[in-house]
């Protein structure tokens, strides 16, 4: 399926039938990055729609730094497939979904957020700043793949050592490397960048649908710290931890991820 949005079209894959469940991938990923979890989610009685964000995968477009564009694209996708929809956003896709729910709440039935780096720069850790500096240095040297991998390896770190990026199969890494231009564009400083510093956290309290937040049990503490800040202002926010998973929750523990996600979706049924 191709979905028309302002200035381009977005590639979207469809699975199953039922109420729409729109999946929003994170930085570096694309629709295929959800792997077999799309079938597990569809088995829950949903029409699962996984799209390539603008500038990623098959959705050809120059890299986008302004996340207001991605938020508008998500609204257009939901309008196209049939609102209101359940929405699941992973990582920066979670930021996109949160901002869209603030701007267009009538489009949502429920919202499931997976380790979104909401206001991640305000809560930046020394290790994040160091990773961004290393990625920038690689980019300046013309090593775009290495620069993207530096950041993605940091984001997928496990609290108990190692990371979820290195064990990925070659084809999955190939997709991430192919999206390196968009990754590096998003890592640049921009007033409307991927960590949504421009949207006041207090506005999230206005989201009228159930919000479920998934955390990986092996993830670095940075994600949990950012989640706690949101949890203080969002009434009724429900939190689930997926044991044995890091930031790549849907890759590392796909069955547990799908189960927790569907439970969150059911809260908005």
């Amino acid at each position: 399926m191709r979905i028309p949005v302002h200035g381009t079209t977005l590639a979207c894959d469809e699975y199953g039938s039922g109420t729409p469940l729109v999946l929003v991938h994170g930085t570096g990923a694309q629709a295929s990055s959800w792997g077999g979890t799309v079938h597990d989610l569809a088995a829950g009685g949903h029409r699962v729609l996984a799209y390539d964000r603008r500038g990623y995968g098959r959705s050809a477009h120059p890299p986008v730094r302004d996340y207001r564009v991605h938020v508008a694209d998500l609204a257009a996708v939901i309008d196209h497939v049939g609102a209101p929809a359940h929405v699941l956003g992973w990582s920066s896709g979670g930021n996109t979904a949160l901002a869209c729910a603030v701007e267009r709440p009538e489009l949502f039935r429920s919202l499931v957020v997976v380790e979104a780096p909401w206001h991640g720069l305000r809560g930046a850790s020394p290790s994040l700043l160091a990773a961004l500096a290393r990625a920038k240095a690689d980019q300046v040297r013309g090593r775009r793949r290495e620069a993207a991998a530096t950041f993605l390896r940091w984001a997928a770190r496990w609290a108990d050592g190692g990371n979820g990026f290195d064990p990925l199969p070659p084809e999955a890494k190939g997709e991430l490397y192919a999206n390196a231009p968009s990754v590096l564009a998003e890592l640049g400083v921009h007033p409307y960048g991927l960590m949504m510093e421009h949207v006041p956290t207090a506005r999230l309290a206005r989201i009228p649908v159930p919000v479920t937040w998934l955390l990986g049990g092996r993830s670095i503490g940075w994600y949990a710290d950012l989640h706690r800040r949101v949890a203080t202002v969002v009434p009724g926010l429900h939190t689930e931890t997926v044991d044995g998973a890091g930031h790549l929750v849907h890759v590392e523990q796909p069955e547990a991820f799908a189960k927790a996600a569907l439970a969150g979706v059911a809260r908005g049924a």
Side-chain angles (χ1 to χ4, degrees), residues 135-235:
K136 189 64 178 179
D138 282 333
Q139 183 181 3
V140 169
R141 296 187 186 101
R143 302 169 58 190
R144 295 194 303 181
R145 285 166 50 114
E146 291 83 354
T150 293
F151 174 74
L152 295 171
R153 189 173 285 113
W154 179 87
R157 283 192 310 153
W158 297 322
D160 52 0
N163 65 80
F165 177 82
D166 288 331
L168 289 173
E171 59 271 21
K173 286 183 180 177
E175 291 178 352
L176 295 171
Y177 287 139
N179 290 322
S182 289
V183 173
L184 298 178
E186 292 186 12
L187 293 184
V189 177
H190 191 279
Y192 303 105
L194 72 89
M195 298 202 188
M196 292 296 175
E197 308 290 343
H198 62 285
V199 181
T201 298
R203 293 189 68 192
L204 300 182
R206 304 177 189 176
I207 298 175
V209 299
V211 180
T212 300
W213 202 290
L214 304 186
L215 295 169
R218 295 184 72 187
S219 293
I220 54 175
W222 182 69
Y223 296 107
D225 290 342
L226 300 180
H227 154 263
R228 278 192 290 270
R229 297 182 184 187
V230 174
T232 61
V233 301
V234 178

Side-chain angles (χ1 to χ4, degrees), residues 1-264:
M1 178 194 309
R2 302 292 303 191
I3 299 176
V5 296
H6 179 71
T8 189
T9 62
L10 305 180
C12 182
D13 300 323
E14 184 176 353
Y15 309 87
S17 61
T19 55
L21 170 55
V22 178
L23 309 185
V24 193
H25 66 75
T27 299
Q30 57 192 58
S32 58
S33 301
W34 296 104
T37 59
V38 292
H39 302 293
D40 294 329
L41 295 171
H46 300 287
R47 178 187 174 208
V48 174
L49 300 127
Y51 72 100
D52 289 340
R53 288 201 280 130
R54 185 186 298 242
Y56 286 98
R58 301 156 296 168
S59 296
H61 192 274
V64 175
R65 298 173 66 194
D66 187 337
Y67 255 66
R68 294 176 300 178
V69 175
H70 289 304
V71 172
D73 284 351
L74 173 56
V77 168
I78 300 173
D79 274 330
H80 185 85
V81 303
H86 302 286
V87 179
L88 188 160
W90 166 67
S91 196
S92 65
N95 282 357
T96 304
L98 284 163
C100 189
V102 168
E103 298 294 335
R104 298 286 307 277
E106 75 280 3
L107 298 178
F108 288 70
R109 289 179 182 266
S110 71
L111 175 56
V112 178
V113 176
V114 188
E115 294 204 331
W118 186 265
H119 286 193
L121 288 179
R122 298 185 202 189
S125 64
S127 65
L128 169 58
L129 297 176
L132 291 174
R134 291 194 302 272
K136 189 64 178 179
D138 282 333
Q139 183 181 3
V140 169
R141 296 187 186 101
R143 302 169 58 190
R144 295 194 303 181
R145 285 166 50 114
E146 291 83 354
T150 293
F151 174 74
L152 295 171
R153 189 173 285 113
W154 179 87
R157 283 192 310 153
W158 297 322
D160 52 0
N163 65 80
F165 177 82
D166 288 331
L168 289 173
E171 59 271 21
K173 286 183 180 177
E175 291 178 352
L176 295 171
Y177 287 139
N179 290 322
S182 289
V183 173
L184 298 178
E186 292 186 12
L187 293 184
V189 177
H190 191 279
Y192 303 105
L194 72 89
M195 298 202 188
M196 292 296 175
E197 308 290 343
H198 62 285
V199 181
T201 298
R203 293 189 68 192
L204 300 182
R206 304 177 189 176
I207 298 175
V209 299
V211 180
T212 300
W213 202 290
L214 304 186
L215 295 169
R218 295 184 72 187
S219 293
I220 54 175
W222 182 69
Y223 296 107
D225 290 342
L226 300 180
H227 154 263
R228 278 192 290 270
R229 297 182 184 187
V230 174
T232 61
V233 301
V234 178
L237 184 146
H238 180 76
T239 305
E240 289 284 347
T241 298
V242 180
D243 293 333
H247 189 54
L248 304 180
V249 185
H250 54 287
V251 176
E252 297 168 8
Q253 295 292 336
E255 293 182 3
F257 161 77
K259 181 179 179 181
L262 287 172

